Amino acid sequence: MRRSLAGVALAVTSMVALSFLIPLGALVMSLVKAQAVTAAEQRAAALAPVLTLTTDPSALRESVASLDPAQQLVVHLPADAGSLGSSKAPAGLLERAQQGRESISQAIPDGWICLQPVVLPGDRVAVIENFVPEEELTHGVKESWAVMSFLAVALIGGSVLVADRLGAKVVRSSKKLAQASRALGQGDLDTRVDPVGPKELRDAGVAFNAMAHRMTELLAVERELVADLSHRLRTPLTALHLASERMEGTPESARVEAAVCELEAELRAIIAAARTPLAVGPMGQGMLGTEPPTGHDAGAGASGPRCETADVVRRRTAFWSVLAEQQNRSCSLDLTQEPTTVGLSDDDVAAVVDALIGNIFRHTAPGTPFAVQVVRTAQAVELIVADGGPGIPEPDLALSRGSSTGSTGLGLDIAGRAATATGGSVHIGRGPLGGAHITVSFALAARAPAGRRPRISRRRPAWPRRR
C-alpha cells in the first residue's frame, strides 16, 4: 500500500508538472527570441533619424558604435557608396529591401536578420541591417529550463515524500491490526491493538478489541459451563458409589467401583482444566486452527508437554479390556519397545485412545474383535486401531465432525486434532480383521533439554486386565 500511494503521487505530480513545464519552456524560448528581435528592430529604428540627417561615414560609425557595441548593426548606403560594417544579409533580401522599400525581419541559417529601409533626400534608399546571432535568440533559455526542471523535480519529490509518510502511517496501523489478528488466531486472547491511523482503521481497531474482549468472555462462560456440568455429574456418581457399596461381596463390586473411580478422576480433571486460566495447549492449537508444525518444529515437545505413547496406550487398553471381556470381544495389544515420545500430554494421547476404542464399542456388535498397535517409524509414532466390524464406508466424510450418519464424528475429530498438533495425520482404511483400520500418526518429539526431568504422569492407574 505504501509503494502504491507513493507511485500514484509520483504519476499524478509528474503529469501535472509536465503539463505546465512543457508549455512554460516553449513560452520562455519564444519570449527570449521575441525580446532579442524587438531589441534589434529598435536599434535599427533608432539609427534611421541619424541616417536622414547625414550620410557621413564617420558620423554614422560613431552612431552605430553607440547603439550597438556588438557591431552587428550595418548601414547599406545608396548607390555605390558601399556599406558600413560586415553584412550577414543574403543578397536577395537586401535587394528586396532596397528596391521594394520593404521592412524585412526573418530567420536565416546563423540567426535572425532585420532590414529597415530608410528613404533619403533625392529619393535614394539606404538599408539598416541588424543581425541577431543564434546565441542571443536563446540567451538564458537553458538556465530558465534548468530552474523550472529543478522546481518540478522538487515538487514531485515533495509530493512523493508526503504520500509516503501518509502511506507509512496507514501501513503501520494495518500491520499492527494484522499482527494482533494473527496473535489472536494463535491463541493469545490477551492481545489488543491501539487504534491509530485514519478513522476507518481506528474504527477497525476498536471493533477488533471489542471482538477479542467478547470472545474471551464467551470462552470463559463456556469453560465455566463445562465445569458446572461436570460438577453436576458428581451427584449420580455418588449414587453409583453407594450402589457399589451395597454390592460389596459380589463379583461385580470391584469392577463397578473401579469404573466409578476412573470416571470420577476424569471429571475432576475436566473441572480443573475448565477452571484454569484460559490457555492454549497442543490440542487447543488444533482447535483454534493454527498451522501445524513442520520440520524441526514438528512434535515440539522439547519445551512443551511430552509423554510416552506406548505407556499411555498400555494403560488405556487395559481399562477397555475389562469391558471387552464382558462383551466377549477379543483384544490384542502390540507395542513397540523403542521410545515413543511425542509432544502431547498423557491426557491428550489417552483421549485419542479412548475415542477410537470407544467408537468400536458404540458402533460394532458385542463379540467383535479389535486390535491396538503402536509402531515406531523414523520420524513418527503410529497408533493403529483395527476392528472386525463393518468398517467405515466413507472415510473422508467420517473425518468431518458431525458429518457421519448416526455419529457426531467427535472421536475422529479428537484424533485428528491431536495428530495435527504434532504435525501428523489420520488415515482410515480397511484392516486385516475385516473392519475399520485407523492409523493416527504423531511426529516424534524433539529431545528434551539437558538436565530436564522427565514428566511424571498423575493419572490413576487403570484397572488391570483380567486374564
Side-chain angles (χ1 to χ4, degrees):
M1 180 184 292
R2 184 174 176 180
R3 290 184 178 178
S4 299
L5 290 175
V8 170
L10 176 62
V12 172
T13 313
S14 299
M15 288 190 294
V16 172
L18 288 175
S19 65
F20 282 95
L21 189 62
I22 294 174
L24 281 176
L27 178 62
V28 167
M29 188 173 183
S30 176
L31 287 176
V32 170
K33 180 179 179 180
Q35 288 177 355
V37 172
T38 301
E41 292 174 347
Q42 289 175 349
R43 287 193 296 270
L47 186 61
V50 177
L51 193 59
T52 58
L53 296 175
T54 180
T55 57
D56 181 47
S58 60
L60 291 175
R61 287 191 181 94
E62 185 177 351
S63 298
V64 169
S66 64
L67 291 174
D68 183 21
Q71 299 181 355
Q72 300 294 343
L73 200 60
V74 179
V75 178
H76 298 277
L77 297 174
D80 297 330
S83 300
L84 301 178
S86 178
S87 177
K88 299 289 182 66
L93 290 179
L94 185 59
E95 183 179 358
R96 196 175 83 183
Q98 287 177 336
Q99 295 181 2
R101 302 180 181 184
E102 177 185 354
S103 295
I104 299 174
S105 179
Q106 72 178 50
I108 60 175
D110 295 328
W112 193 274
I113 195 72
C114 296
L115 298 177
Q116 178 66 43
V118 178
V119 180
L120 302 177
D123 199 27
R124 296 176 303 167
V125 177
V127 177
I128 302 174
E129 173 191 335
N130 197 352
F131 174 73
V132 182
E134 188 71 28
E135 293 78 10
E136 291 187 17
L137 293 175
T138 59
H139 179 68
V141 172
K142 292 182 179 180
E143 290 78 1
S144 299
W145 284 0
V147 172
M148 289 188 294
S149 300
F150 174 77
L151 292 177
V153 171
L155 177 63
I156 294 173
S159 175
V160 172
L161 181 61
V162 171
D164 180 72
R165 291 298 89 198
L166 293 176
K169 188 176 181 181
V170 174
V171 169
R172 193 180 304 115
S173 303
S174 302
K175 284 184 176 179
K176 288 182 178 179
L177 186 59
Q179 290 171 357
S181 301
R182 284 193 293 268
L184 184 65
Q186 292 172 357
D188 185 4
L189 301 180
D190 293 330
T191 185
R192 297 293 185 273
V193 296
D194 183 17
V196 293
K199 182 179 182 300
E200 292 77 7
L201 286 177
R202 291 200 303 271
D203 293 342
V206 172
F208 174 85
N209 290 339
M211 178 194 68
H213 180 70
R214 181 59 177 163
M215 182 184 300
T216 304
E217 288 182 344
L218 292 176
L219 286 175
V221 170
E222 182 179 357
R223 290 164 67 87
E224 191 63 28
L225 178 61
V226 171
D228 291 343
L229 292 176
S230 302
H231 186 76
R232 289 168 61 183
L233 291 177
R234 287 186 170 181
T235 300
L237 278 179
T238 303
L240 288 176
H241 270 300
L242 295 176
S244 67
E245 290 178 357
R246 288 194 297 269
M247 294 170 58
E248 188 174 357
T250 64
E252 300 295 327
S253 174
R255 191 175 302 169
V256 172
E257 181 65 21
V260 171
C261 291
E262 183 71 21
L263 181 58
E264 187 174 18
E266 294 291 345
L267 285 178
R268 282 198 300 269
I270 292 174
I271 294 173
R275 287 183 173 169
T276 52
L278 288 174
V280 180
M283 293 284 281
Q285 290 175 357
M287 293 178 66
L288 290 175
T290 58
E291 293 295 329
T294 58
H296 294 290
D297 295 331
S303 58
R306 301 166 63 91
C307 76
E308 283 293 329
T309 306
D311 294 342
V312 178
V313 172
R314 180 184 294 106
R315 292 195 301 269
R316 299 314 302 158
T317 306
F319 169 77
W320 286 101
S321 65
V322 177
L323 300 179
E325 186 176 354
Q326 292 179 356
Q327 295 186 3
N328 295 321
R329 299 175 182 266
S330 63
C331 171
S332 63
L333 177 63
D334 183 12
L335 303 177
T336 180
Q337 299 301 316
E338 297 182 76
T340 56
T341 307
V342 297
L344 294 172
S345 66
D346 287 7
D347 292 339
D348 290 340
V349 177
V352 175
V353 178
D354 291 343
L356 297 180
I357 299 180
N359 279 345
I360 296 175
F361 280 79
R362 281 188 294 271
H363 301 294
T364 63
T368 302
F370 67 94
V372 180
Q373 185 181 12
V374 175
V375 179
R376 161 73 182 270
T377 64
Q379 300 294 333
V381 176
E382 294 183 352
L383 169 62
I384 303 172
V385 178
D387 62 69
I392 300 177
E394 297 179 343
D396 294 336
L397 188 62
L399 290 173
S400 300
R401 183 172 179 175
S403 300
S404 301
T405 304
S407 170
T408 62
L410 179 59
L412 291 176
D413 181 69
I414 292 174
R417 286 187 290 114
T420 302
T422 66
S425 61
V426 177
H427 177 73
I428 301 177
R430 186 170 292 275
L433 294 179
H437 185 273
I438 302 174
T439 302
V440 183
S441 177
F442 305 107
L444 284 170
R447 290 180 176 273
R452 175 172 174 174
R453 298 179 59 185
R455 185 179 185 275
I456 300 176
S457 173
R458 298 184 180 276
R459 295 178 58 87
R460 285 177 57 94
W463 185 256
R465 179 179 178 180
R466 297 182 61 183
R467 299 292 183 183

